[in-house]
Amino acid sequence: MPVTPGQGGDEAEEALLARGQQLAERGDWNAYIVSCQSCHGPGGTGVGSTFPGVASQHAGYISAQLTAWKNETRSNDPQNLMGAIAKRMSDNDIQAVSAWYATQPGSEEQETAQ
């Protein structure tokens, strides 16, 4: 399917988006949260078939998946990397990174924007 602009982050406050960007790009070592881009690549566009792109996905979808990993209702990660990270994230962290990624262009959008 073609990549389309994400939704759900366009009305987020600047402080929330800044926190989301921090988590996505640098993580939060005080909370033992590794950056999203460590696995999902710069800009969250994905790395091979193992780490899918998360940029431009709907904020509600990203939030629902992170919450499912946090609550152990999603477990399709063989090494539980996402589960371990999601458990360390507060609800605000989940909302922040979800909103921020929803505002980022997906891989096809990035290619046409350059």
Side-chain angles (χ1 to χ4, degrees):
M1 294 179 64
V3 176
T4 59
Q7 297 177 346
D10 46 337
E11 294 185 19
E13 294 181 13
E14 286 300 315
L16 187 74
L17 291 173
R19 175 64 175 164
Q21 182 176 13
Q22 175 199 349
L23 291 168
E25 295 180 347
R26 297 180 306 282
D28 183 343
W29 291 107
N30 291 328
Y32 302 102
I33 299 171
V34 67
S35 72
C36 303
Q37 75 176 6
S38 294
C39 296
H40 294 279
T45 58
V47 178
S49 61
T50 305
F51 300 104
V54 291
S56 189
Q57 291 197 21
H58 193 283
Y61 176 78
I62 297 170
S63 177
Q65 301 317 303
L66 287 170
T67 300
W69 271 306
K70 182 176 183 173
N71 295 335
E72 298 181 2
T73 56
R74 180 171 180 176
S75 60
N76 63 326
D77 179 358
Q79 296 180 345
N80 197 36
L81 297 172
M82 285 304 309
I85 293 167
K87 283 185 179 302
R88 296 180 188 120
M89 296 176 76
S90 68
D91 292 343
N92 188 66
D93 287 343
I94 289 173
Q95 182 184 10
V97 79
S98 299
W100 189 79
Y101 269 124
T103 65
Q104 302 308 299
S107 58
E108 289 177 15
E109 290 176 85
Q110 287 178 337
E111 290 172 14
T112 57
Q114 293 178 355

